[in-house]
Amino acid sequence: MKNYYFGDIELIVCDDYEKMSKACADYIAETVNNTPGAVLGLATGSSPVGTYKELIALNKAGHVDFSDVTTFNLDEYYPIAEENDQSYHYFMNDNLFNHVNIKKSNTNFPKLDAPDANISASDYEKLICASKRVNLQLVGIGLNGHIGFNEPNDVYPAETHYEKLTESTRQANSRFFKSIDEVPTHAITMGIGTIMRADRIAMVVSGENKAEILYKTLKGDITPRVPSTALRFHRNVKIFADAAAAGLIENGTVV
Ligand code: F6R
């Protein structure tokens, strides 16, 4: 494991995806163990699956207790049925919540049965604000630098909102669907402002195809055209990367 610092961001480079997942899970478990009634922001996608597997193992071994933990997920497709196996509700139950001692009533997502998407988004923002602060927000990163579903934009959206997905994001996510036509066109996502209010932010990033965007996130211009660059304004960010994703940073080449 190697550590690099970019201003206040700590980049932790691990040999492979498994070691990266273990390092990130240990960090989340430590936060939960040191914070009574911890509030976690969580992400979906391929990147955190290994982290969730490790958290399940830590929970089963008695090293982390979720009984008093509250969670807010970053985003959810809209509209989508909660029981659809591509919904982020389904993903979280399947990859984490069904296997640890969390109370499902303490797990939160944008509501799918609100009168409309904008009401669902503003209700979710209010719910996050009404809870005490998010102690740790876990994020992945899209190939275009999106975090949550904050796509490249002229501004950093402040609050949870309804967002049109870019064609490149729909294309990237089509691997989970039978065809591109089935990939939802919109989602509700925490805003960049919502994400930045968390005390700690942890990112997991793996694979050679993420090397360029990780490089831009840490070394490129800070711009809403690369939404992840906003993380450089936060005081407590750890990025857990595997060697392939860190290739451009470490060697100037993609390994
Ligand atoms: C998921 C999310 C997205 C993903 C990103 C990377 O809740 O908010 O920003 O983190 O699209 O996805 P993967 O990990 O599948 O490459």
Side-chain angles (χ1 to χ4, degrees), residues 121-133:
S122 68
D123 284 353
Y124 196 54
E125 181 73 20
K126 283 185 206 133
L127 196 65
I128 298 167
C129 291
S131 92
K132 50 181 195 150
R133 39 193 324 135

Side-chain angles (χ1 to χ4, degrees), residues 78-211:
Y78 196 102
I80 198 166
E82 197 172 313
E83 55 284 359
N84 183 320
D85 63 6
Q86 292 309 325
S87 80
Y88 289 169
H89 283 68
Y90 188 100
F91 174 101
M92 288 308 303
N93 285 333
D94 199 33
N95 284 283
L96 183 66
F97 299 151
N98 286 346
H99 313 287
V100 295
N101 67 332
I102 198 162
K103 296 186 188 83
K104 289 276 178 72
S105 55
N106 287 347
T107 66
N108 298 284
F109 296 85
K111 290 268 175 296
L112 293 166
D113 56 359
D116 76 50
N118 293 315
I119 293 175
S120 175
S122 68
D123 284 353
Y124 196 54
E125 181 73 20
K126 283 185 206 133
L127 196 65
I128 298 167
C129 291
S131 92
K132 50 181 195 150
R133 39 193 324 135
V134 173
N135 301 110
L136 187 153
Q137 175 68 56
L138 177 64
V139 298
I141 184 170
L143 292 170
N144 60 5
H146 72 212
I147 51 175
F149 274 131
N150 292 281
E151 300 283 32
N153 197 334
D154 293 336
V155 296
Y156 290 118
E159 297 189 341
T160 304
H161 59 285
Y162 185 49
E163 176 103 16
K164 184 173 177 3
L165 304 181
T166 61
E167 278 318 299
S168 68
T169 293
R170 292 185 68 238
Q171 198 67 50
N173 288 6
S174 66
R175 68 192 192 276
F176 300 115
F177 293 82
K178 285 197 200 87
S179 77
I180 180 90
D181 300 335
E182 286 185 14
V183 184
T185 54
H186 289 74
I188 291 174
T189 178
M190 286 187 195
I192 293 290
T194 323
I195 294 167
M196 294 289 282
R197 290 202 308 271
D199 291 338
R200 297 173 167 191
I201 298 176
M203 175 184 279
V204 270
V205 50
S206 76
E208 188 181 325
N209 66 340
K210 295 278 176 78

